[in-house]
Amino acid sequence: MLQYIINGLQSGSWYSLLAVSIVIVMKASDVPNFAVANMGLVGAFLAYSFVSAHLPFGVAVVLGLLGAALFGVIIDRAVIQRLGDKGHFPLLLMTIGISLSLAAALELIWGTNSLSLNAPWSNKTVHLAGQIINWDGIVTIATGLVIAIAITWFFHTTAGVRMRAVAENRSAARLVGVRISRVSGLAWGIGTAVAALAMILQTESSVLSYTAGDALLVPAFVAATAAGFTSPVGAYVAGLVIGVLENLTGGYISTALQSVVALVVVVLILLLRPSGFTRTALARREV
Amino acid sequence: MPPHDLLPDGNRRGRRWAKLASLIVLITLLAVVPPAMNSYDQYLITLTLVYAITTLGLNVLIGWTGQLSLAHAGVFGLGAYLSTILIQHGWGFVPSLLVAGLGSAIVGGLVVFPALRFSGFTLAVASLAFASVIVQLFDNGGSVTGGGGGLAVPVFQFSGLSQTMSTYYVTLISTVLCFVVAHRMRHLRFGRVAFSIRDTEIAAVVSGIRVVRYKVFVFAFAAFLGAIGGALYAQLETFIFPVMFSTNTLVLMLVMLFLGGASSLYGPIFGAIFAVVMVELLQSFGSYQDLLYGLLLMLVIGVLPGGMASLPERLRTSHLLGRAVRGVASRFGRGRQDEATAASPVPPTATGSSLVDDPGDGVESGVA
């Protein structure tokens, strides 16, 4: 039981981080970023290359995250902002196009073989309350929590408030002097770095390949939906819940049913709170 | 584009006959030429038509009615599996095709329940999860669906024709029927209601339109088209397995829809041609083909957000090319009409967004 819950919290943390990234990007650009997992993979592959170049793991991860953030800013400047006033659907399709291109590019650059990104704590375990627990599980859960708190704090800083203002009312924010393009770049940078963190944590505990993001995308989007695409804390909690439910279902009922959990969660959301579970989501609805 | 034909227009009848004649020529060519082709080209043409029918279903949902439902790949698979299972149990091909279509329409109609409560991205995620459950069913259906290994499809065959040609003719007939029905629906009350639900749902409700009833119908009709496409796809591929109906297929459908031009009637055909032709052309680039496909997709979305169906309008209204085209056109006595467009007070930017049509379109017809 405890083992399932810890494993669930671990995979849930990956979903949570991706969902938080989706929410951040949604706030600034009003587009569901379907490329989130593959953009995060860019950071993971960069970190792998830095580790291969004999840099210490911590330095490699930081460089990978910075690279991912830069990549996010570039994508925003070069592609997303150019489509800014063309409506939702071209933007949405563009994120799909980015995702396809990225998967192909990652495959070309780093090959089709599964690589292993080894952290200092990989394959090490600790005995806790009679259970053997992997260190990467603990690190993942702790990182997820820290990021969730950090992002929540960020939304209360000046830059974060600007971002929320843009999400609430784009033209009003522009009228009071918020530079939309700067906010957008910041959101894509932070969002991509958070996604990269999720993918580094995920690939570090399994294998690194260009298809690593595919399985994470649907649960992450379900988590973001549960938060009404507005609340990072809501997205974080929803991601954890989905992860734990998936692992409990897989452990006690059937592994085939695991992916159905996401659907059940969606149906529950639809029935109970169509606009998400969190207070901000409700507030937005009233506006 | 909004239906031009609804507006008073002197040229309307003549243009309609010209259109009809060219369509008949096109269909005749499609009926006569393929037997002379090699079987791989026959396969490609059939695939294009299958994609066109399927994407037409998605277009009715997303392009016309504005319901961002992403369950279409699942429904496509449902049509493929249902028809195949029925044929395996001794049903004839045509009844199984229709029953698969109607059965999927009922299942597809289920998606409407989340759709009635909300719209936009929430519906997108809910319907995506719905589709993933359908594919899970294929995967875990035991001997009925063949599990991950899939099912061999008993292929329908006209006597005296090859398998591919039989499938081709069935597909061609289905395509013509589906597009004729869609054309009628688009230009009658249904189309206008669909567009009004898409653009201003509240206004539609206030005008006394029973939006719920229309949405149920739209979802069922889209699922019907998707399932017919799926059943024909199964015939064409002769073997089906769950991965064929995964998210990748959905992405392909979205690409065809938006590249072809969402909300345009014939957009799905352009999109299907693009998808098939590009995959064939890029095959020679080996491992670079996926990357090129992705980049090309990004390029086309960036340059042509309204899709390929918006290309003529775009050319006509662009500064340089537009002037040249108008110059040529005026020599053939169409100048007055097109100058009117150029001088219209509303800048015709219909290509700006694939989903918001420009009211300036009417000016052209009004003057002529």
Side-chain angles (χ1 to χ4, degrees):
Chain A
M1 181 79 178
L2 185 64
Q3 193 66 53
Y4 289 133
I5 290 179
I6 290 174
N7 288 346
L9 288 176
Q10 183 182 4
S11 54
S13 295
W14 307 329
Y15 306 153
S16 295
L17 287 174
L18 286 181
V20 167
S21 169
I22 292 168
V23 167
I24 295 172
V25 166
M26 189 77 175
K27 272 196 191 296
S29 297
D30 214 14
V31 60
N33 181 12
F34 279 102
V36 64
N38 285 344
M39 288 179 73
L41 267 181
V42 172
F45 274 107
L46 284 177
Y48 169 83
S49 291
F50 289 127
V51 169
S52 306
H54 303 294
L55 284 173
F57 184 76
V59 177
V61 167
V62 170
L63 287 176
L65 293 182
L66 286 177
L70 185 66
F71 181 71
V73 174
I74 292 172
I75 287 286
D76 176 58
R77 277 287 144 88
V79 183
I80 300 296
Q81 286 196 19
R82 279 165 202 266
L83 273 178
D85 51 348
K86 300 283 167 63
H88 282 115
F89 288 91
L91 263 182
L92 187 153
L93 195 62
M94 185 57 97
T95 67
I96 292 176
I98 293 170
S99 191
L100 288 179
S101 309
L102 267 183
L106 292 174
E107 184 190 353
L108 281 177
I109 299 172
W110 278 281
T112 49
N113 294 333
S114 295
L115 310 169
S116 54
L117 176 65
N118 282 321
W121 57 81
S122 285
N123 305 320
K124 288 195 180 125
T125 55
V126 62
H127 290 267
L128 196 78
Q131 302 277 337
I132 300 166
I133 292 161
N134 288 319
W135 265 109
D136 58 10
I138 297 172
V139 172
T140 303
I141 296 166
T143 314
L145 188 62
V146 169
I147 294 297
I149 293 170
I151 294 295
T152 309
W153 167 79
F154 168 76
F155 277 120
H156 289 90
T157 62
T158 314
V161 169
R162 283 194 188 119
M163 207 176 278
R164 277 158 59 198
V166 171
E168 205 63 51
N169 190 330
R170 223 178 166 74
S171 38
R174 182 174 284 170
L175 281 177
V176 297
V178 177
R179 294 194 193 180
I180 305 263
S181 68
R182 198 174 282 182
V183 169
S184 176
L186 189 65
W188 279 84
I190 295 176
T192 310
V194 171
L197 201 54
M199 295 317 295
I200 287 173
L201 290 168
Q202 198 267 336
T203 53
E204 174 265 315
S205 61
S206 57
V207 290
L208 177 61
S209 88
Y210 69 101
T211 55
D214 297 351
L216 302 183
L217 204 57
V218 170
F221 264 96
V222 171
T225 312
F229 285 109
T230 50
S231 153
V233 179
Y236 174 72
V237 175
L240 291 186
V241 170
I242 292 169
V244 171
L245 283 179
E246 270 191 6
N247 268 274
L248 288 177
T249 314
Y252 288 105
I253 307 173
S254 137
T255 45
L257 283 176
Q258 264 193 349
S259 54
V260 180
V261 168
L263 177 87
V264 176
V265 173
V266 161
V267 170
L268 284 179
I269 297 164
L270 301 186
L271 290 176
L272 298 173
R273 288 277 178 82
S275 56
F277 276 101
T278 50
R279 237 169 352 120
T280 43
L282 289 178
R284 194 181 185 187
R285 197 182 175 201
E286 279 159 22
V287 174
Chain B
M1 306 295 112
H4 293 259
D5 307 37
L6 291 175
L7 299 153
D9 183 353
N11 282 337
R12 187 174 131 195
R13 193 161 293 165
R15 262 162 55 193
R16 176 176 285 182
W17 282 112
K19 264 188 192 168
L20 196 62
S22 53
L23 266 180
I24 289 171
V25 170
L26 180 68
I27 293 169
T28 316
L29 280 177
L30 279 173
V32 175
V33 174
M37 296 173 157
N38 66 38
S39 67
Y40 186 64
D41 288 341
Q42 290 168 355
Y43 164 82
L44 289 181
I45 291 196
T46 318
L47 187 64
T48 310
L49 295 180
V50 167
Y51 282 162
I53 297 178
T54 312
T55 312
L56 176 67
L58 197 61
N59 196 7
V60 172
L61 260 183
I62 298 182
W64 297 11
T65 324
Q67 305 296 307
L68 189 53
S69 168
L70 302 183
H72 211 61
V75 170
F76 182 64
L78 204 60
Y81 269 90
L82 272 180
S83 66
T84 303
I85 291 167
L86 288 177
I87 297 172
Q88 279 182 342
H89 283 76
W91 286 51
F93 171 67
V94 176
S96 68
L97 182 69
L98 290 176
V99 170
L102 293 175
S104 307
I106 294 170
V107 176
L110 291 178
V111 186
V112 92
F113 291 108
L116 292 179
R117 294 197 65 161
F118 22 44
S119 52
F121 304 137
T122 322
L123 172 62
V125 173
S127 54
L128 194 62
F130 183 79
S132 76
V133 166
I134 294 181
V135 176
Q136 280 292 313
L137 278 179
F138 300 155
D139 230 339
N140 298 298
S143 60
V144 181
T145 63
L151 283 179
V153 183
V155 180
F156 167 81
Q157 210 166 347
F158 288 116
S159 58
L161 280 178
S162 71
Q163 275 193 359
T164 315
M165 276 317 289
S166 306
T167 310
Y168 172 70
Y169 278 122
V170 175
T171 309
L172 181 62
I173 294 167
S174 311
T175 313
V176 172
L177 287 178
C178 289
F179 272 88
V180 166
V181 170
H183 179 268
R184 292 324 302 155
M185 285 172 64
R186 187 187 165 86
H187 289 277
L188 296 176
R189 180 181 158 86
F190 175 85
R192 277 170 283 159
V193 170
F195 285 120
S196 75
I197 292 175
R198 180 193 74 188
D199 293 335
T200 48
E201 187 172 336
I202 294 172
V205 175
V206 172
S207 327
I209 291 165
R210 292 173 190 255
V211 170
V212 171
R213 202 180 281 181
Y214 271 92
K215 276 191 182 170
V216 172
F217 182 73
V218 163
F219 275 80
F221 182 59
F224 178 82
L225 291 176
I228 295 286
L232 294 167
Y233 185 63
Q235 291 286 315
L236 182 64
E237 297 289 338
T238 69
F239 204 89
I240 51 174
F241 44 95
V243 187
M244 289 164 94
F245 309 105
S246 64
T247 321
N248 289 346
T249 311
L250 175 76
V251 168
L252 178 70
M253 290 174 183
L254 287 173
V255 167
M256 292 191 288
L257 172 63
F258 286 104
L259 276 193
S263 91
S264 133
L265 178 63
Y266 299 106
I269 299 178
F270 297 126
I273 294 173
F274 178 89
V276 173
V277 169
M278 275 309 138
V279 168
E280 287 310 306
L281 284 183
L282 295 176
Q283 217 126 67
S284 54
F285 288 94
S287 53
Y288 284 90
Q289 59 172 314
D290 287 343
L291 181 64
L292 284 174
Y293 193 74
L295 290 178
L296 199 66
L297 176 62
M298 287 170 65
L299 186 73
V300 178
I301 304 161
V303 176
L304 211 60
M308 291 194 282
S310 71
L311 198 57
E313 181 73 21
R314 178 95 175 207
L315 285 180
R316 210 146 47 87
T317 53
S318 78
H319 277 294
L320 279 173
L321 267 172
R323 189 163 297 170
V325 171
R326 279 195 294 276
V328 173
S330 65
R331 290 197 183 172
F332 292 95
R334 289 186 54 200
R336 203 160 50 100
Q337 178 187 336
D338 285 320
E339 273 158 25
T341 315
S344 78
V346 188
T349 50
T351 46
S353 159
S354 54
L355 284 185
V356 182
D357 291 321
D358 183 59
D361 271 10
V363 175
E364 169 196 350
S365 325
V367 174

